[in-house]
Amino acid sequence: MILLAVHDTLLAQIGNPSPQAPPVSDKFLQLVRYFTWFVLLAGITAIIYAGGKFAWEKWTGGGLDSPKMVAGAMIGGVVATSAGTIMNAVIGT
């Protein structure tokens, strides 16, 4: 009976907390946005470089290694742009 009274008294003093963002979350989100832009810029640069290398190999008659680079850049771009959707599927929210 005493434990029940103490339990009820303690529960009455605890309020319903509202969710708050951590103190440095705005800086972290800004860093994520910068990283997203960097990844997109790197992907575009990789596709341009691989396309130029493909044209050079075609023009000089060398081996054709650049189609693999173009395919890798395209697949990397798809993964990078769908990272949010992939993480939502993995986390389940």
Side-chain angles (χ1 to χ4, degrees):
M1 184 98 101
I2 295 173
L3 288 174
L4 183 60
V6 170
H7 186 265
D8 288 340
T9 307
L10 286 176
L11 284 180
Q13 293 176 1
I14 298 174
N16 189 8
S18 61
Q20 293 181 351
V24 294
S25 65
D26 56 338
K27 301 285 184 188
F28 180 70
L29 288 175
Q30 186 176 11
L31 181 66
V32 169
R33 288 185 196 111
Y34 287 158
F35 184 68
T36 302
W37 276 106
F38 174 74
V39 167
L40 292 175
L41 184 63
I44 291 169
T45 304
I47 290 173
I48 291 171
Y49 174 75
K53 188 173 179 182
F54 181 63
W56 179 259
E57 288 174 354
K58 198 77 161 150
W59 188 51
T60 60
L64 292 177
D65 294 331
S66 55
K68 292 181 235 173
M69 292 174 63
V70 172
M74 299 286 251
I75 291 170
V78 168
V79 170
T81 55
S82 62
T85 306
I86 293 170
M87 286 306 296
N88 284 338
V90 169
I91 293 173
T93 56

